[in-house]
Amino acid sequence: MAEPDPGPEFVASFFTLTGAGFGEPPRHGFPARCEAAAAAGFTGIGLHVDDLARTVAAGLDVDGMRDVLAAAGLRVVEIEFLAGWALDDEGSGEEGVAAVADAFGGRHVSAGEFRGGELDPVAAAKRLAEAAGRAAEGDLLVAVESFPWSAIRDYATAVDLVRRSGAPNAGLLVDVWHFFNGGASLGLLHDLPGAGVAAVQLNDGPRVHDDFLVNARATRRLPGEGELDVVGLVQAVERAGFTGPYCVEVNTPEFRALPLAEAAERAFTTSAEIVRKARST
């Protein structure tokens, strides 16, 4: 008799459990985040490259961090963030990504461009291919994300860069908020190049038409608590071949003010319910 499907795994993206805003030092330290994530049902976490150095400086070395992960039954899945490559070679973060991957492994590194500017797709794709080649040495996928305010301003541009790169381990990071508020439709997820849908970040929020950067850092709500078609997106990425794990990236002022255990439990429960609903509809 076949074993029952255990269902998807869920990963707490780095910012979800920091209790702090984007670019701010975490209010909750690494051990506390791991404990809360595991208790809520997550099987993996995300780690920002800056948090490795920050945690070591606070007195917990790499071996100690590994012990924390092992005790919680967690693994590092998502590494944040490979930036700067789309416009030039400055500030890519590759050394930090390599340090995290060497210490803990990982499944994918999120990649994108925070800055606005005129994109040279040929040059950007070449740099993406080079970065993906180096990431492949650590068995990492490179998951390219679009930000509506940035040089990679929509997902069609991200798809084009992945296709031009020719890198088999490069694909899309589909963040619900960025995907819909960047104007993408679910049909874009058909017949993708490279690694296809390399990663998914679940969240929700309002439809936004301006002030994208401000809203991205203040209105990414729990899945099912906004106006975006999260169920339809889950169905679309699974039709495209994605099976998980699903990352959860939520960070509003109200959410990050919650007690850590409550934030982790709500992030896990709402995300699991969305995926169950998508699979049963």
Side-chain angles (χ1 to χ4, degrees):
M1 183 163 128
E3 299 239 349
D5 181 359
E9 294 185 78
F10 294 90
V11 174
S13 290
F14 171 72
F15 291 109
T16 299
L17 299 183
T18 61
F22 287 83
E24 299 175 356
R27 187 162 60 90
H28 306 301
F30 179 81
R33 296 198 308 268
C34 289
E35 180 180 357
F42 290 102
T43 58
I45 62 163
L47 189 63
H48 195 282
V49 295
D50 293 343
D51 203 47
L52 173 57
R54 184 184 290 120
T55 302
V56 171
L60 184 64
D61 63 14
V62 168
D63 286 339
M65 294 175 73
R66 290 195 191 108
D67 289 342
V68 168
L69 287 166
L74 296 174
R75 69 190 192 281
V76 172
V77 172
E78 182 174 67
I79 303 174
E80 299 267 12
F81 190 84
L82 188 63
W85 54 271
L87 292 176
D88 49 50
D89 290 317
E90 295 184 9
S92 71
E94 280 196 70
E95 289 186 6
V97 169
V100 173
D102 287 346
F104 309 110
R107 177 185 176 275
H108 65 266
V109 54
S110 54
E113 180 57 71
F114 292 116
R115 300 169 295 170
E118 193 63 34
L119 187 72
D120 178 342
V122 174
K126 181 176 182 293
R127 288 190 289 268
L128 174 59
E130 292 168 349
R134 291 186 286 271
E137 296 173 7
D139 293 324
L140 290 175
L141 297 171
V142 177
V144 180
E145 186 171 16
S146 164
F147 304 139
W149 65 86
S150 76
I152 308 175
R153 63 180 53 90
D154 55 46
Y155 272 89
T157 301
V159 171
D160 180 62
L161 290 176
V162 171
R163 181 172 284 113
R164 288 174 184 266
S165 77
N169 64 319
L172 292 189
L173 193 168
V174 181
D175 176 292
V176 174
W177 195 101
H178 292 308
F179 187 84
F180 287 117
N181 283 316
S185 64
L186 296 176
L188 179 140
L189 299 172
H190 175 69
D191 193 25
L192 294 171
V197 178
V200 175
Q201 289 179 337
L202 296 178
N203 46 57
D204 206 334
R207 286 283 186 177
V208 172
H209 305 286
D210 53 23
D211 294 330
F212 292 109
L213 176 58
V214 172
N215 277 283
R217 296 180 175 184
T219 66
R220 264 192 283 185
R221 300 174 185 160
L222 291 164
E225 296 187 359
E227 303 170 3
L228 307 178
D229 185 10
V230 192
V231 168
L233 185 138
V234 169
Q235 292 171 335
V237 298
E238 294 199 347
R239 283 196 300 270
F242 183 76
T243 58
Y246 283 94
C247 297
V248 185
E249 187 172 71
V250 179
N251 197 307
T252 66
E254 299 79 13
F255 181 80
R256 57 183 177 252
L258 292 173
L260 177 57
E262 182 181 350
E265 190 277 331
R266 288 184 61 185
F268 179 86
T269 300
T270 57
S271 300
E273 178 58 31
I274 281 287
V275 175
R276 279 196 297 269
K277 183 175 181 181
R279 291 181 172 184
S280 64
T281 301

